[in-house]
Amino acid sequence: MARLHGAAARSALEAHGFQVVPIVVPAGEVHKNMPSLLGVLEQMISGGLSRRDAVVALGGGVVGDLSGLAAALFMRGIPIVQVPTSLLAQVDASVGGKVAVDLPGAKNMVGVFHFPLFVAIDPEVLSSLPDRELAQGLAEMLKHALLFSGDHLEQLLGRADAIYARDVDVITPLVATSVGLKAACIGRDPWEQGEAGKGRVLLNLGHTMAHAIEAASNYEVPHGDAVALGLRAAARVSELKGVAEPGLEPMVTQALARLRLPQDLDAWLSGDRGAAVERALAVDKKRVGGTVSYVALARVGEPLVLPLTPREILGLLRQRAQLPAE
């Protein structure tokens, strides 16, 4: 992003009288960690930033998370402006004020709520995004559709080819709808303290397994791919717990295929991978005592929360899994 847009962003800010201190971090979730955070804070100090300054996060979700947490911590907090350049960041990470870094084996474990001063989204920057990176954002858009809007689901699946063709006239309203669905949920429960099953916790649909898979892979599995598998897991659990009618998992699996997202959940349910996922589930941020607040679906647009232990979650998923012979 520094190579593609850094000079233009800096020139635009300087033209309006701002002094710019550029800080560039390596790409990838593997760099969203405590050493990177401390490095950014040290550069903010050496760059002469004060409490009257602001951080502009130009990049994807990793940059937004890392920048947001640095802004929240620097001199007890300065403003953050989010300028997301990936579809994943535009529809999810930049919206809602959650900023964090990962610990080994535990995703987003060190973080705060630090709401942006504003978010600037330009869908035209997606033209430089590879297909696989574009798919990461489609996983979150699918999540919003499954949670809140059958109409959005229909439009998303019906226009998948146009999205991959980078048709800005198609992408822009879809991004706006997805952001609006998430923002409406956050507006009702900004600090995730709402009544169970009705607040911001619903946005964790698919993320219990997603975060476990990411951690189990040492963050080699991208977030959107992990969310895709997590959405299939949520559909399977919903069916097997009897809260959804049969057919939800096949429908979600077909939606994932239409959006060119992975569907091979079962590969993460046995062997060393399964053991690593189980360990990661045990430190899920949504746990209370020994149970996790697991977001399920009765049907599209009707989410609910089930209190489940990590062992129950994996047990349910393995009931229907096609597992290799031991």
Side-chain angles (χ1 to χ4, degrees):
M1 285 302 103
R3 178 177 57 82
L4 290 171
H5 304 298
R10 180 171 186 167
S11 296
L13 289 166
E14 289 177 340
H16 286 272
F18 291 100
Q19 181 182 350
V20 178
V21 178
I23 299 173
V24 181
V25 297
E29 183 80 21
V30 69
H31 298 290
K32 199 181 84 174
N33 54 27
M34 292 296 293
S36 295
L37 174 65
L38 293 176
V40 169
L41 289 168
E42 288 169 357
Q43 290 183 72
M44 291 168 70
I45 293 169
S46 63
L49 271 72
S50 73
R51 298 186 75 177
R52 295 178 61 84
D53 295 314
V55 174
V56 177
L58 177 69
V62 169
V63 168
D65 261 2
L66 191 58
S67 303
L69 186 54
L73 295 174
F74 186 75
M75 296 187 178
R76 298 191 177 92
I78 62 175
I80 177 75
V81 173
Q82 295 281 1
V83 188
T85 57
S86 70
L87 183 60
L88 177 61
Q90 289 182 357
V91 300
D92 188 62
S94 67
V95 181
K98 283 187 174 181
V99 293
V101 296
D102 304 328
L103 294 179
K107 184 177 170 70
N108 291 337
M109 194 56 69
V110 180
V112 298
F113 289 93
H114 191 52
F115 293 91
L117 193 63
F118 65 89
V119 181
I121 296 174
D122 180 1
E124 290 190 3
V125 303
L126 302 177
S127 62
S128 66
L129 210 61
D131 281 0
R132 192 179 186 212
E133 291 301 317
L134 194 73
Q136 306 308 303
L138 291 175
E140 291 287 356
M141 295 176 79
L142 176 60
K143 178 195 77 176
H144 297 151
L146 292 171
L147 280 170
F148 304 123
S149 174
D151 288 343
H152 188 45
L153 178 62
E154 182 178 346
Q155 292 175 11
L156 191 62
L157 299 181
R159 299 175 184 178
D161 292 339
I163 294 169
Y164 276 101
R166 310 302 194 277
D167 186 332
V168 175
D169 291 335
V170 169
I171 292 173
T172 299
L174 289 172
V175 168
T177 298
S178 202
V179 169
L181 291 170
K182 178 173 181 178
C185 180
I186 292 169
R188 295 189 292 270
D189 180 24
W191 307 103
E192 204 166 310
Q193 298 295 319
E195 183 181 347
K198 294 185 179 179
R200 184 172 180 158
V201 69
L202 297 176
L203 294 170
N204 288 305
L205 178 69
H207 281 58
T208 298
M209 275 298 291
H211 287 168
I213 289 170
E214 286 181 272
S217 74
N218 196 28
Y219 304 106
E220 291 182 5
V221 174
H223 180 67
D225 284 2
V227 168
L229 300 177
L231 292 173
R232 181 172 185 179
R236 183 179 298 180
V237 168
S238 300
E239 284 191 36
L240 292 175
K241 287 294 290 182
V243 299
E245 294 293 325
L248 182 64
E249 184 181 358
M251 183 274 286
V252 170
T253 304
Q254 290 168 14
L256 294 173
R258 178 74 179 116
L259 296 174
R260 309 182 196 179
L261 287 161
Q263 303 119 58
D264 190 11
L265 170 65
D266 295 351
W268 291 92
L269 300 179
S270 64
D272 291 342
R273 281 180 165 185
V277 166
E278 188 164 4
R279 288 193 297 272
L281 285 173
V283 294
D284 187 275
K285 298 189 304 299
K286 299 174 291 300
R287 70 187 186 281
V288 178
T291 64
V292 172
S293 297
Y294 191 90
V295 183
L297 284 174
R299 58 186 60 84
V300 174
E302 192 174 324
L304 67 157
V305 176
L306 303 174
L308 299 173
T309 66
R311 184 162 295 181
E312 284 179 295
I313 294 168
L314 285 175
L316 287 164
L317 294 174
R318 287 167 175 159
Q319 282 185 34
R320 191 180 287 174
Q322 300 295 320
L323 300 179
E326 295 294 339

